[in-house]
Amino acid sequence: MFRRRSDDAAASAAVLEKQDETQPRDPQAKKGRPTPKRSEAEAHRRTRVTVPKDRKEASRQARDRMRVEREKQRTALLEGDERHLPARDKGPVRKFTRDFVDARWSLAEFFLPAAVVILVLSIVKVPALQLLSTVLFLLFFVLVVLDFVRLGFGLRKQLAERFAGQNTRGAVAYGLMRILQMRRLRLPKPQVRRGEKP
């Protein structure tokens, strides 16, 4: 209200110069659009800045934005939409790792259900069942470790062949953590059937 007109003119000129810098053009060529009236430029400048002055309103808007972003990520995890996946799941390397793991049968994905069964057997007050549960747990644990080693070497070899020269750091650990989950509980949801080649 009490600002000088020269300040407004300088601000709108700076905005126009910034727009022109982003789109380089020949100085002799026409802009391709009419010069906006001052009232239009000022109105546009005022509507672009939507930061509320009230802190409660600003925090409410930030919470709403975060909720929308989380909802997009949740939908992407269920549907496999690459655009809205969390950063840890994005990229062709991570997608290949997921497909490589999801296409194979693995003993490791049955580790948690088997551990629950073995735990129940160890609680029973029958010494023979308690001994059996201990032996089963050790045997299953060794088999899972061997399965991890087999999968890790196979995945590392495939990543080196397909993504030579690209950063594949953390992909093997990502695959091993995924294989510990039961197939139907994995997020992002598996996109390949068992036996398919990724």
Side-chain angles (χ1 to χ4, degrees), residues 5 9 23 61-62 88 98-99 118 134 141 146 172 178 190:
R5 289 184 180 269
Q23 299 172 351
Q61 285 183 4
R88 71 184 174 118
R98 287 195 302 272
D99 292 346
I118 291 169
T134 305
F141 184 75
L146 291 174
V172 174
R178 185 173 177 84

Side-chain angles (χ1 to χ4, degrees), residues 69-81:
E69 189 63 32
R70 279 196 303 270
E71 184 60 30
K72 281 182 184 176
Q73 285 186 357
R74 190 184 71 77
T75 307
L77 286 170
L78 293 174
E79 297 173 359
D81 185 7

Side-chain angles (χ1 to χ4, degrees), residues 59-141:
S59 64
R60 188 186 66 75
Q61 285 183 4
R63 279 196 308 272
D64 289 346
R65 280 194 303 271
M66 289 297 290
R67 186 171 27 80
V68 168
E69 189 63 32
R70 279 196 303 270
E71 184 60 30
K72 281 182 184 176
Q73 285 186 357
R74 190 184 71 77
T75 307
L77 286 170
L78 293 174
E79 297 173 359
D81 185 7
E82 280 282 325
R83 293 171 298 163
H84 300 294
L85 284 176
R88 71 184 174 118
D89 297 312
K90 276 187 180 174
V93 173
R94 297 298 169 106
K95 181 173 181 359
F96 175 78
T97 302
R98 287 195 302 272
D99 292 346
F100 184 87
V101 167
D102 294 338
R104 283 160 176 70
W105 284 97
S106 175
L107 198 60
E109 68 184 277
F110 302 109
F111 180 73
L112 291 178
V116 170
V117 171
I118 291 169
L119 180 66
V120 169
L121 285 176
S122 67
I123 292 173
V124 177
K125 298 283 186 181
V126 179
L129 286 178
Q130 289 179 340
L131 180 63
L132 178 67
S133 68
T134 305
V135 171
L136 281 176
F137 181 77
L138 289 173
L139 181 65
F140 199 74
F141 184 75

Side-chain angles (χ1 to χ4, degrees), residues 5-23:
R5 289 184 180 269
S6 60
D7 290 345
D8 288 344
S12 58
V15 169
L16 291 175
E17 283 176 13
K18 197 176 281 185
Q19 287 176 350
D20 288 342
E21 286 172 7
T22 58
Q23 299 172 351

